[in-house]
Amino acid sequence: MAAGLPRRIIKETQRLMAEPVPGISAVPDESNARYFHVVVAGPEGSPFQGGVFKLELFLPEEYPMSAPKVRFMTKIYHPNIDKLGRICLDILKDKWSPALQIRTVLLSIQALLSAPNPDDPLANDVAELWKVNESEAIRIAREWTRTYAMGN
Amino acid sequence: MLRFLLALFNGLWRSLLAMFGFSSSQPALTDQIEVFVRTNTGEKVSVSLSTSWNILQVKKSLASKLNSTVEDLRIIFAGKELPNDMVIQQCDLGHHSTLHAIRVVAKENQQQSSSVSNTDTKTKDEVKTATISEDTVKNVVSEMPPSPSSKEEEPCLVSPDPTPGSSRETRGTCNRLLCDASTIITIQMSEAEQRKIRELKTNDGFGERPHFYVYCVRPCNTVRVGKLRVRCSTCKQGALTLHRDPCNWQDVLTPGQITATCETLHCTGSEAEFFFKCRDHETSGEDDTSVALYLVRANLPQVSCLACTDISSPVVVFECPDAHVMCLDCFVTFCISRLNERQFLHDTRIGYTLPCPIGCQNSLIREVHHFKLMGDNHYERYQRWGTEEAVLNAGGVLCPYPGCGQGIIPDEDCRRVACLNGCGYVFCKLCLQGYHIGDCHPEDGNGPNMVENSGMFNVDPTRAASSRWDEATSLAIRVTTKPCPKCRTPTERDGGCMHMVCTRSSCNFHWCWVCQTEWTRECMAAHWFG
């Protein structure tokens, strides 16, 4: 581990490795212990099922006083995730609290895949379709999952 | 055999003392300390004592100096009359502390009330002093009047001592001392917490000792272990005896909660006034007091910090129902990061403050001295911003002239504001630009250099010449920021979407970077990402 890394980050990392969250893997980068390579499996019963989604997670200098920065690297058709992979999740913004952890953030993202919330959208066109024609939206989400999240 | 038993008893006694935090908590380098003794008639003498002495020995050494007899002296310290058999070490007495000696003749009226509880001490005194030096104590029969506190009913429904098997009940006339661990625990914790601590204690030894903590401004300039003291609220002298023990923070922090008998001649005071002293430096006098940081406690139940998850002591315990715990380091980082983002809240009663980091209801920090822990520079910034926030919340404005920032409460019906006690700049209350006649034009920017033609520009030319850098800053602010449509705080957009949330926590207005009005669904549809 890098020198000067807060004990909390070390502890969280150790726990993530020892008891990983089912369906999620988070591995720190070899050269930067604050940067995590995250892989989330699309939850069963959702249009993302069968997909493997890559994310990047970065713990800023102020962590845990400020929230981790998380972004989807794999393209995803989801009303709360925009085309750059940015995620609309309250705990990543104003609802962040230092008592939350990497683990809780990842669980929340997994839950967001199971239950998209088109009323608090980040990707507007996606949200619109999700509200107007849900079955079509889900069809596109499945298609994107096949195209972008099942390749390797 | 007898010697062995004695040694055993001695060892037991020491461990009992350690358990109550008497022995090693005090930075006593030698067992000789110099204390001041003040009498109720105004005399003040300095005496050198050994911390192993008992009060009877102190009285003996004082009697000649004060021209009195041992029987006529009563020793009062921290709101309690000290019984003859008490050893100095138990009393939390530091170098240059002040003891109070009362000549009994001064207040005759208390003599008759002693009976039952006193006989106990008397016999004990005789026995104990006799074993120390038989020849000197022959005619010393302690005729100690009881402290008034012994006659009062214990008002708190907590057991007087949290640790079973204490030596306290043998002490007779004196209740708990202010320095006793039991006093500290009673004040700091609810009954449920005390019960929990008692369980922990019986399970795994002694662990941490409870303490009060203070912010010592001078000379330590940091958080320190504190000593609780009491004085008369009228004459400010310590020669008073409490009618009951304090049992919560309200008793200690709110004046007039506890009545007392003041022994100073001609003083009619009847209320106790509590205060704190820093334990880490030698006291420089009676005014050398410190503010209690009542959220800071010794981490007796070994709770881990909610941010770093380490277990350390002392910790900050927030006032929310869950009593969330943060270590001091994380508390400081938390405060600084909230300050940097200007996320402190303005509360009309408390001032500029923060809630528990989880955001629990009713958890605002009520004693703002806790923010002193951030260090001088941050605290100064905290004070400045707190003042600004108070001005803004009172309907005031801050002078927009670069480098000025004077807080002004303008007349309600007048748009023209002059920075009278500051830089002299005259500006419009609504748009914070130089004062102008007619409607405001927000797109003109907010630098004073933009309104030179208004005719109302009123700045000292030398000041203007010396503020080129400020002008450059002002230009930069104008170019890179837009004002919040509600409170006009200059706001920089450093990326992301057009949905802005005002950075001033007391404003929190949601607005659109493009329209510069409140954020709407239409903004979302038309130009969310530009």
Side-chain angles (χ1 to χ4, degrees), chain B residues 3 32 40 59 63 81 166 173 274 383 405 493:
Chain B
R3 188 165 297 180
Q32 281 289 319
N40 53 336
K59 285 181 180 174
E81 174 168 350
S166 84
T173 54
F274 291 92
Q383 283 183 307
R493 181 175 156 267

Side-chain angles (χ1 to χ4, degrees), chain A residues 7-8 11 64-65 82 86 97-99 119 121-122 124 131, chain B residues 306-310 330 334 337 357-358 521 524-525 528-529:
Chain A
R7 266 178 45 85
R8 152 142 178 183
K11 274 184 174 170
M65 297 310 157
D82 75 0
R86 295 178 298 197
S97 131
D119 287 323
L122 194 57
N124 215 37
K131 282 208 277 200
Chain B
L306 70 82
C308 71
T309 67
D310 287 349
C330 286
F334 169 65
S337 91
I358 314 262
R521 285 257 153 195
M524 206 184 268
W528 195 358
F529 291 101

Side-chain angles (χ1 to χ4, degrees), chain B residues 44-149:
Chain B
K44 194 173 178 182
V45 293
S46 136
V47 282
S48 186
L49 308 171
S50 160
T51 50
S52 57
W53 283 10
N54 65 20
I55 295 299
L56 189 65
Q57 287 168 295
V58 175
K59 285 181 180 174
K60 270 187 254 167
S61 93
L62 276 176
S64 56
K65 286 197 182 194
L66 295 175
N67 234 349
S68 182
T69 61
V70 172
E71 303 86 73
D72 286 345
L73 284 177
R74 295 165 55 203
I75 302 292
I76 292 181
F77 183 65
K80 289 289 157 77
E81 174 168 350
L82 305 180
N84 280 350
D85 63 334
M86 183 174 269
V87 181
I88 295 286
Q89 229 163 26
Q90 291 170 269
C91 310
D92 201 19
L93 203 64
H95 204 53
H96 288 171
S97 288
T98 303
L99 276 178
H100 292 268
I102 307 300
R103 291 194 178 97
V104 177
V105 274
K107 294 214 172 176
E108 274 304 320
N109 53 345
Q110 282 167 1
Q111 289 277 357
Q112 72 259 42
S113 54
S114 106
S115 56
V116 190
S117 59
N118 208 24
T119 48
D120 188 353
T121 11
K122 200 195 287 177
T123 48
K124 207 165 174 295
D125 283 343
E126 282 169 342
V127 173
K128 191 151 191 193
T129 46
T131 56
I132 297 167
S133 50
E134 279 185 39
D135 48 337
T136 49
V137 281
K138 263 177 234 148
N139 43 9
V140 178
V141 179
S142 59
E143 205 53 67
M144 244 182 38
S147 99
S149 57

Side-chain angles (χ1 to χ4, degrees), chain B residues 316-328:
Chain B
V316 173
V317 183
F318 289 89
E319 288 186 279
C320 42
D322 290 340
H324 288 119
V325 166
M326 232 180 182
C327 70
L328 289 191

Side-chain angles (χ1 to χ4, degrees), chain B residues 89-343:
Chain B
Q89 229 163 26
Q90 291 170 269
C91 310
D92 201 19
L93 203 64
H95 204 53
H96 288 171
S97 288
T98 303
L99 276 178
H100 292 268
I102 307 300
R103 291 194 178 97
V104 177
V105 274
K107 294 214 172 176
E108 274 304 320
N109 53 345
Q110 282 167 1
Q111 289 277 357
Q112 72 259 42
S113 54
S114 106
S115 56
V116 190
S117 59
N118 208 24
T119 48
D120 188 353
T121 11
K122 200 195 287 177
T123 48
K124 207 165 174 295
D125 283 343
E126 282 169 342
V127 173
K128 191 151 191 193
T129 46
T131 56
I132 297 167
S133 50
E134 279 185 39
D135 48 337
T136 49
V137 281
K138 263 177 234 148
N139 43 9
V140 178
V141 179
S142 59
E143 205 53 67
M144 244 182 38
S147 99
S149 57
S150 63
K151 295 288 163 213
E152 290 283 325
E153 266 191 10
E154 175 69 64
C156 319
L157 293 171
V158 272
S159 75
D161 200 297
T163 331
S166 84
S167 61
R168 198 55 28 89
E169 57 264 22
T170 61
R171 200 180 277 159
T173 54
C174 201
N175 284 353
R176 288 179 294 186
L177 293 179
L178 289 184
C179 63
D180 284 1
S182 60
T183 308
I184 301 174
I185 286 183
T186 309
I187 290 173
Q188 288 184 337
M189 296 181 192
S190 69
E191 275 186 62
E193 287 173 310
Q194 291 177 41
R195 265 198 299 278
K196 221 163 70 188
I197 295 294
R198 276 200 290 278
E199 280 163 24
L200 283 174
K201 289 254 169 178
T202 46
N203 287 342
D204 59 359
F206 312 127
E208 284 276 336
R209 270 191 293 271
H211 286 300
F212 290 117
Y213 291 89
V214 294
Y215 194 85
C216 175
V217 179
R218 249 186 314 268
C220 306
N221 198 25
T222 185
V223 59
R224 292 291 194 204
V225 170
K227 307 186 276 191
L228 176 60
R229 293 288 181 263
V230 66
R231 61 191 168 200
C232 167
S233 67
T234 308
C235 68
K236 308 290 177 195
Q237 295 299 318
L240 87 169
T241 45
L242 296 172
H243 291 178
R244 70 169 172 91
D245 292 328
C247 50
N248 52 42
W249 275 113
Q250 202 195 352
D251 283 345
V252 174
L253 298 175
T254 317
Q257 294 288 308
I258 291 183
T259 54
T261 307
C262 181
E263 308 284 353
T264 308
L265 267 191
H266 312 304
C267 177
T268 54
S270 61
E271 276 177 11
E273 179 181 287
F274 291 92
F275 61 100
F276 286 85
K277 292 177 94 74
C278 166
R279 177 176 275 180
D280 279 68
H281 73 271
E282 197 175 285
T283 179
S284 64
E286 283 160 36
D287 297 333
D288 183 13
T289 63
S290 293
V291 186
L293 300 179
Y294 63 85
L295 297 183
V296 181
R297 293 184 197 168
N299 193 356
L300 302 181
Q302 307 263 300
V303 180
S304 62
C305 165
L306 70 82
C308 71
T309 67
D310 287 349
I311 296 171
S312 56
S313 184
V315 289
V316 173
V317 183
F318 289 89
E319 288 186 279
C320 42
D322 290 340
H324 288 119
V325 166
M326 232 180 182
C327 70
L328 289 191
D329 286 347
C330 286
F331 176 72
V332 168
T333 329
F334 169 65
C335 293
I336 294 175
S337 91
R338 298 275 85 183
L339 188 67
N340 286 342
E341 289 163 32
R342 219 166 163 151
Q343 290 295 310

Side-chain angles (χ1 to χ4, degrees), chain A residues 80-93:
Chain A
N80 308 106
I81 300 161
D82 75 0
K83 54 178 182 268
L84 296 178
R86 295 178 298 197
I87 307 162
C88 181
L89 191 60
D90 55 359
I91 62 158
L92 291 178
K93 291 175 187 146

